[in-house]
């Protein structure tokens, strides 16, 4: 390909670096598809009806790929069955950002001069900074890459030769971006990522094989969860939290399970030891079906599973994370014992005897304990009973921390301390982990649970659809005499099922991350792209630029005569230095008037620079001063 085509594709990649952070921060299903749109349009650029049609098809195809989660009828039906604005946010922002990519490309495509590239370079850095400051979007790697590619483009505009020293300087931020890409574990990715082994969802991985159940889950990373339908549950009397796995050991950054031990267990009740004893419970009979074809992976359940039927083999207990796995199953029926957590239970619950508590259920990393001990002891003061302490910690998190999926990873490897003491912004993994660490410091056994928060619930059919965005983590506390009971310390607008304790209202001014903010971010990007497009379109075309050159040339080469002088006659009457300075202007004007083709962009730019240089000559050298 020609040098001009290569630079055009590079400008497309450059624009994609602006679109990608907005798409990630807004929860677009496939942000890389939107980021690749300008580069693909550059690759298909050219004249002719065929190339034009290919560009239209490519734009529509990438727009559909980025906007829609699945093309299956069931997935589309689940999308339109959701009436909450939050569940339509990713669709709306995807469309807005798709328009932004198309509109922005009109600007970046025409940016061939160093002046225009410089303005786009400055504007892009501002956009990335605004996205990072107000919406928490990833800024490090995109900004470094944007700066590096911008420097390279300014070093190699189409109308001038390469400037090696600027091109070499562009390697510094590009190398920094590559280093950050491979060194930072917290870079957001397009979710879900379908592999042969697992579907990654924040702290949750819907496994395809038992070995794919994660042994180490980092909470030091941002998350982007689309509204992809995953599971359908029928026979649900009310919304519920659906548990998949439990982790006990926390390293300060990761939740770690011991080596997986797969033990076949019989299809006889109970499949798991009761999660609570002495509680009133109701029996649920539910059926779980997966939207995506294939093995369903770890079994989700609420309360205590009593019986299990499936079209696969016998269930296995994955002891590492206290999870159930059904080899080869695509659907299953469950009989569940779901306890009711009443006010009477909360008031009568007591602390488990210290000698009966395993050390792992109270373990806190030493550094984290030193940081959080003063806060934990202050929250525990004057509380009576474990639920009073749990509610006190939950209320503190509600009133001092803000829910946002755009978590900024800690470079020092201390995400919980950074979340509680500095940034005060995070999502469910940080809220639940912070709750567990504070509870453990105060002597309350607690552990980490991953699964799904309540999804869209249909009260008429008693069915619930679990979406990718419902992937969630919460806590369980061990209380006497009831055993392990759930606590969700994360601010959420989802309905709270009866097994979870009541949550304090979110204080005014500390509202959780809302979809309206994502839409505003996308609208801002669209407005900036539109403003840039309008500004560039207002720039004079070739005719306007040539008129400006002719006016300037005439002003600097005055000549009186009986008839209007030609351009060459004007220039010949000027001093030698002025003739030399205005020579490129005359060439461009004659090429425009009489040449077989209009002057190229490089020739026009050279003439504009020459006119500017001539205007800066001293008056004596222009021939305007008094005679010597």
């Amino acid at each position: 390909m020609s040098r001009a085509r290569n630079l055009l594709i590079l400008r497309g990649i450059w624009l994609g670096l602006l679109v990608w952070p907005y798409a990630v921060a807004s929860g677009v299903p496939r942000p890389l598809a939107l980021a690749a749109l300008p580069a693909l349009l550059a690759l298909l650029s050219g004249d002719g009806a065929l190339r034009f049609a290919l560009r239209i098809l490519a734009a529509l195809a990438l727009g559909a790929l980025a906007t829609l989660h699945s093309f299956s009828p069931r997935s589309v039906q689940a999308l339109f069955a959701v009436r909450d604005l939050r569940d339509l946010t990713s669709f709306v922002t995807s469309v807005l950002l798709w328009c932004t990519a198309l509109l922005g490309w009109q600007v970046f495509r025409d940016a061939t001069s160093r002046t225009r590239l410089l303005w786009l370079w400055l504007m892009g850095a501002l956009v990335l900074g605004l996205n990072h400051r107000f919406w928490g979007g990833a800024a490090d790697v995109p900004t470094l890459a944007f700066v590096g590619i911008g420097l390279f483009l300014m070093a190699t505009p189409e109308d001038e030769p390469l400037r090696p020293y600027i091109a070499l300087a562009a390697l510094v931020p590009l190398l920094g971006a590559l280093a950050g890409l491979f060194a930072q574990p917290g870079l957001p990715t397009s979710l879900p990522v379908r592999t042969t082994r697992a579907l990654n969802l924040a702290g949750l991985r819907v496994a395809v094989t038992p070995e794919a159940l994660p042994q180490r889950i980092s909470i030091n990373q941002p998350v982007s969860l689309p509204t992809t339908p995953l599971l359908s549950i029928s026979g649900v009397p009310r919304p519920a939290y659906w548990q998949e796995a439990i982790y006990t050991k926390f390293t300060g950054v990761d939740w770690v399970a011991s080596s997986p031990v797969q033990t076949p267990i019989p299809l006889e009740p109970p499949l798991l030891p009761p999660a609570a004893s002495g509680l009133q419970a109701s029996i649920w009979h539910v059926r779980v079906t997966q939207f995506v074809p294939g093995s369903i992976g770890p079994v989700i359940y609420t309360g205590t599973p009593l019986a299990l039927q499936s079209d696969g083999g016998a269930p296995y207990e994955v002891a590492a994370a206290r999870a159930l796995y059904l080899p080869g199953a695509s659907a299953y029926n469950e009989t569940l014992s779901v306890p009711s957590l009443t006010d009477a239970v909360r008031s009568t619950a007591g602390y488990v005897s210290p000698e009966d508590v395993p050390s792992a259920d109270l373990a806190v990393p030493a550094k984290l304990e030193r940081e959080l001990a003063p806060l934990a002891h202050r929250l525990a003061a004057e509380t009576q009973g474990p639920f009073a302490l749990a509610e006190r910690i939950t209320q503190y998190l509600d009133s001092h921390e803000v829910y946002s999926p755009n978590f900024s990873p800690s470079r020092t490897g201390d995400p919980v301390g950074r979340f509680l003491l500095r940034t005060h912004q995070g999502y469910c993994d940080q809220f639940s982990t912070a709750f567990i660490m504070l509870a453990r410091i105060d002597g309350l056994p607690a552990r980490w649970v991953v699964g799904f928060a309540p999804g869209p619930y249909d009260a008429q059919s008693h069915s619930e659809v679990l979406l990718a965005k419902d992937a969630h983590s919460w806590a369980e506390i061990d209380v006497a005499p009831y055993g392990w009971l759930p606590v969700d310390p994360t601010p959420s607008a989802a309905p709270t099922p009866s097994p979870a304790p009541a949550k304090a209202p979110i204080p005014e001014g500390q509202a959780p991350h809302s979809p309206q903010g994502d839409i505003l971010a996308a609208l801002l990007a669209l407005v900036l792209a539109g403003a840039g497009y309008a500004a560039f379109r207002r720039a004079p075309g070739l005719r306007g630029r040539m008129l400006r050159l002719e006016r300037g040339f005439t002003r600097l080469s005055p000549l009186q005569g009986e008839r209007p002088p030609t351009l060459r006659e004007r220039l010949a009457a000027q001093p030698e230095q002025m003739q030399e300075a205005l020579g490129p202007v005359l060439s461009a004007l004659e090429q425009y008037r009489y040449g077989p083709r209009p002057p190229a962009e490089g020739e026009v730019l050279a003439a504009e620079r020459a006119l500017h240089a001539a205007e800066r000559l001293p008056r004596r050298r222009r021939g305007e001063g008094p005679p010597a």
Side-chain angles (χ1 to χ4, degrees), residues 220-239:
N220 194 30
Q221 57 184 350
V223 63
S224 175
L225 294 177
T227 55
T228 309
L230 297 179
L231 298 169
S232 175
I233 310 173
S234 55
V236 185
R238 60 177 180 267

Side-chain angles (χ1 to χ4, degrees), residues 67-70 73-84 87-88 90-91 227-229 465 467:
T67 304
L68 300 177
H69 302 291
S70 171
R74 294 185 65 187
S75 298
V76 174
Q77 182 181 1
L79 174 66
F80 286 98
V82 177
R83 292 177 173 82
D84 194 332
D87 298 321
L88 298 177
S90 62
F91 177 80
T227 55
T228 309
V465 175
L467 311 176

Side-chain angles (χ1 to χ4, degrees), residues 210-292:
E211 297 82 1
L213 199 68
Q215 300 303 299
R216 182 180 294 268
I217 298 178
S218 172
I219 69 165
N220 194 30
Q221 57 184 350
V223 63
S224 175
L225 294 177
T227 55
T228 309
L230 297 179
L231 298 169
S232 175
I233 310 173
S234 55
V236 185
R238 60 177 180 267
Y241 282 75
W242 297 93
Q243 175 176 319
E244 185 192 52
I246 295 172
Y247 293 82
T248 301
K249 181 182 178 182
F250 184 62
T251 66
V253 176
D254 305 327
W255 283 100
V256 182
S258 57
S259 300
V261 179
Q262 298 153 27
T263 307
I265 58 176
L267 289 171
E268 297 177 1
L271 293 178
L272 289 177
S277 59
L279 295 174
Q280 292 184 351
S282 56
I283 303 300
W284 292 11
H285 300 278
V286 303
R287 178 172 179 80
V288 181
T289 307
Q290 182 169 255
F291 278 97
V292 181

Side-chain angles (χ1 to χ4, degrees), residues 175-201:
L175 290 176
L178 289 175
L181 183 64
F182 291 104
Q184 292 184 17
L187 289 177
T189 57
S190 174
L191 297 175
V193 179
R194 169 60 66 180
T195 68
T196 58
R197 299 183 63 82
L199 183 67
N200 297 299
L201 298 170

Side-chain angles (χ1 to χ4, degrees), residues 242-591:
W242 297 93
Q243 175 176 319
E244 185 192 52
I246 295 172
Y247 293 82
T248 301
K249 181 182 178 182
F250 184 62
T251 66
V253 176
D254 305 327
W255 283 100
V256 182
S258 57
S259 300
V261 179
Q262 298 153 27
T263 307
I265 58 176
L267 289 171
E268 297 177 1
L271 293 178
L272 289 177
S277 59
L279 295 174
Q280 292 184 351
S282 56
I283 303 300
W284 292 11
H285 300 278
V286 303
R287 178 172 179 80
V288 181
T289 307
Q290 182 169 255
F291 278 97
V292 181
S295 180
I296 208 162
V299 172
I300 62 165
Y301 59 90
T302 187
T304 300
L306 300 179
L308 189 66
Q309 294 179 341
S310 76
D311 54 6
Y316 285 78
E317 179 182 2
V318 183
R322 194 171 178 262
L324 291 172
Y325 170 72
L326 285 171
S330 58
Y332 57 90
N333 298 319
E334 282 183 306
T335 302
L336 306 169
S337 175
V338 183
S340 297
L341 191 58
T342 62
D343 291 336
V345 170
R346 295 191 187 94
S347 61
T348 57
Y351 286 96
V352 179
S353 177
E355 57 268 17
D356 295 333
V357 179
S359 60
D361 294 337
L362 291 173
V364 179
K367 178 185 177 183
L368 199 56
E369 186 169 10
R370 290 193 300 270
E371 282 185 313
L372 302 184
L375 172 61
H377 296 330
R378 187 170 74 248
L379 294 175
E382 301 179 1
T383 58
Q384 301 294 327
F387 269 104
L389 174 60
E391 290 175 0
R392 182 78 175 273
I393 297 174
T394 299
Q395 290 172 2
Y396 175 84
L397 294 175
D398 280 347
S399 60
H400 289 79
E401 322 305 331
V402 178
Y403 177 83
S404 174
N406 304 314
F407 174 75
S408 298
S410 168
R411 297 182 182 278
T412 60
D414 183 22
V416 177
R418 187 169 185 268
F419 164 66
L420 281 176
L421 305 177
R422 289 179 287 280
T423 64
H424 305 288
Q425 194 174 68
Y427 57 96
C428 59
D429 285 1
Q430 290 77 45
F431 276 90
S432 56
T433 304
F435 173 92
I436 293 169
M437 295 299 105
L438 292 171
R440 287 182 174 185
I441 291 173
D442 289 329
L444 178 58
R447 61 191 186 185
W448 198 57
V449 185
V450 295
F452 292 91
Y457 178 72
D458 189 336
Q460 294 183 346
S461 62
H462 299 288
S463 61
E464 191 171 1
V465 175
L466 297 184
L467 311 176
K469 77 176 187 63
D470 299 321
H472 194 48
S473 64
W474 60 95
E476 284 185 344
I477 57 174
D478 190 10
V479 299
Y482 305 112
W484 292 99
L485 296 176
V487 176
D488 184 6
T490 304
S492 172
T496 304
S498 58
K503 298 172 62 61
I506 300 172
E508 186 177 355
Q510 298 235 350
H513 181 80
S514 67
Q516 287 84 353
D518 294 334
I519 295 177
L520 287 175
L523 284 173
L524 175 62
L526 186 61
V527 169
L528 288 173
Y533 176 70
F536 273 73
R537 280 305 182 192
R538 281 199 303 267
L542 179 60
R543 181 173 180 274
R545 295 169 74 181
M546 300 309 296
L547 285 175
R548 289 183 181 181
L549 286 174
E550 186 171 352
R551 292 194 195 102
F553 182 89
T554 303
R555 186 179 69 255
L556 294 177
S557 56
L559 181 62
Q560 301 296 328
E562 295 180 359
R563 59 176 178 80
T566 65
L567 296 177
R568 282 194 171 273
E569 289 174 343
R570 283 181 175 276
L571 188 59
Q574 306 307 313
E576 182 178 351
Q577 190 165 1
M578 180 58 71
Q579 291 185 32
E580 183 178 346
L582 291 178
V585 182
L586 177 64
S587 299
L589 290 173
E590 289 184 335
Q591 175 72 16

Side-chain angles (χ1 to χ4, degrees), residues 14 117 121 145-155 166 170:
W14 200 37
L117 290 169
W121 190 67
F146 185 86
V147 168
I149 293 178
L151 287 174
F152 184 83
L153 286 171
M154 284 188 285
I166 302 182

